[in-house]
Amino acid sequence: VDRLVENHGTVDKALLWVLKECPMQGETIKMLSDMLPRGVDLKDEEALEDVGETALHLAAQRNFYHVTKCLLTYDSEAPVQKRDAGGKLPLEIALEAEYDKVAALLIKNMSKTSIRAMFDKGTDGEEARHSLQDMLKTGNMPETCQAVMDACIEPTREPDELRFHFSILETDRNGHTPKDTSFCFDGPTTYHRACESDVKSIRQHALVRMLTYHKWTSYGEKLALARMMVYGVFLLVMSFALISAVQVSDPTVYESHKDKTRAVFEVLTVLFVLYQMIEEFRQMFR
């Protein structure tokens, strides 16, 4: 370690060399245990200018989970928001390479607001930089998906109260929300992908459960009640038509006012049955 520090000038630059050149993660951890107590500054701007990357960038590139955890433990204010020479965050490097555990760890150490900004459409209409729906679809990054959904839940000033940000779950495959004119109503949303996930902890995540509850209380409950009332009216109409038909000698004759009323109710019954059949087929192929 002394020789490395001497060759590179500072312990910060020596640390970056170790993270870039050490072949094994275990060996890197051993080197870090000797170098970090020497007062490594993970926010050293001079080292960043020379190498173009921070220690977290290098650890994320090599999928060194334990090294990343060690760096974050050493410095709780490690520059997780610092961009490299290419303009990328350490998290973005891990996301592009699909390094699940490293990406999830970095998300947990970043502000929830910044995470939502990465996966949600901007207020100015700017497209989201990353797609939670794509990650749920591939299924390769379950821990990262959970970490992103965790970032959508934050405490409020009131005790025992939480604020849930549902917008990320309500987007279509292009990142548009139902409020956008370009929203795709025929395709699945991120919420659908989460509900269909093979990972139980994603399906039962608090954000998914609360959105389900919100949809039920806001729309589902009212829709179910309306359909129940319509079905009740259908039963009354059909019952009147059947009872009236069995009371006459020839139900195919419509002469009296009662017969004509029965005819109207029979037509309404047929129309309702056709509507229900069409609706069932539409739901099957939706």
Side-chain angles (χ1 to χ4, degrees):
V1 173
D2 292 334
R3 188 179 301 172
L4 283 173
V5 173
E6 183 180 349
N7 291 339
H8 292 87
T10 66
V11 66
D12 299 323
K13 294 180 180 179
L15 173 68
L16 295 178
W17 184 89
V18 169
L19 291 172
K20 198 169 186 178
E21 301 296 337
C22 246
M24 303 296 291
Q25 183 169 197
E27 184 179 349
T28 304
I29 289 288
K30 291 181 180 179
M31 297 290 287
L32 287 181
S33 63
D34 289 336
M35 301 179 79
L36 293 179
R38 297 173 180 244
V40 171
D41 181 10
L42 299 180
K43 299 181 283 292
D44 183 17
E45 294 293 338
E46 183 181 350
L48 174 62
E49 290 177 3
D50 290 345
V51 181
E53 299 166 309
T54 67
L56 288 174
H57 284 95
L58 296 172
Q61 285 177 12
R62 305 187 66 186
N63 195 22
F64 279 3
Y65 170 78
H66 295 289
V67 170
T68 305
K69 187 175 182 180
C70 180
L71 293 172
L72 293 171
T73 302
Y74 167 75
D75 187 356
S76 59
E77 298 182 358
V80 291
Q81 298 285 135
K82 183 73 70 175
R83 298 184 179 276
D84 62 9
K88 292 182 180 181
L89 298 172
L91 173 59
E92 291 177 314
I93 293 174
L95 289 173
E96 292 175 2
E98 294 191 344
Y99 294 151
D100 188 28
K101 294 179 71 67
V102 172
L105 180 61
L106 289 169
I107 288 175
K108 293 174 183 177
N109 285 271
M110 295 174 66
S111 70
K112 294 185 176 183
T113 303
S114 63
I115 295 301
R116 293 196 300 271
M118 292 178 64
F119 288 87
D120 201 358
K121 190 175 181 180
T123 54
D124 56 353
E126 183 183 357
E127 296 294 330
R129 285 173 283 168
H130 301 278
S131 172
L132 177 60
Q133 182 171 165
D134 289 344
M135 291 195 298
L136 288 168
K137 184 178 180 180
T138 59
N140 296 332
M141 304 184 72
E143 291 188 29
T144 303
C145 291
Q146 293 179 66
V148 172
M149 289 192 286
D150 287 341
C152 296
I153 304 173
E154 58 183 359
T156 65
R157 294 181 179 179
E158 298 295 329
D160 301 325
E161 285 190 8
L162 297 173
R163 178 179 290 110
F164 293 84
H165 299 270
F166 297 131
S167 58
I168 292 179
L169 285 187
E170 294 185 309
T171 55
D172 62 10
R173 59 179 174 269
N174 297 317
H176 301 133
T177 64
K179 295 180 180 180
D180 298 327
T181 56
S182 54
F183 180 78
C184 178
F185 287 94
D186 296 328
T189 63
T190 306
Y191 170 70
H192 291 113
R193 295 291 187 193
C195 293
E196 296 170 354
S197 174
D198 294 331
V199 183
K200 183 178 179 181
S201 55
I202 292 180
R203 295 195 307 269
Q204 297 184 354
H205 194 276
L207 187 69
V208 177
R209 289 190 283 113
M210 285 304 299
L211 181 55
T212 302
Y213 176 76
H214 172 71
K215 287 180 177 292
W216 169 250
T217 55
S218 300
Y219 314 107
E221 189 175 18
K222 297 175 183 177
L223 181 61
L225 181 61
R227 288 191 173 184
M228 184 178 67
M229 293 176 64
V230 171
Y231 189 71
V233 172
F234 161 72
L235 291 178
L236 290 174
V237 170
M238 184 179 65
S239 299
F240 177 84
L242 291 174
I243 293 173
S244 299
V246 299
Q247 290 178 346
V248 297
S249 57
D250 188 359
T252 61
V253 177
Y254 302 93
E255 294 181 347
S256 65
H257 291 296
K258 185 177 180 180
D259 290 337
K260 292 178 181 179
T261 303
R262 173 170 56 86
V264 173
F265 278 37
E266 288 174 349
V267 171
L268 290 175
T269 301
V270 173
L271 291 176
F272 185 85
V273 171
L274 290 175
Y275 167 76
Q276 286 297 108
M277 291 177 62
I278 294 172
E279 184 66 17
E280 288 298 324
F281 280 113
R282 190 178 72 86
Q283 292 293 337
M284 288 172 59
F285 294 101
R286 187 174 180 179

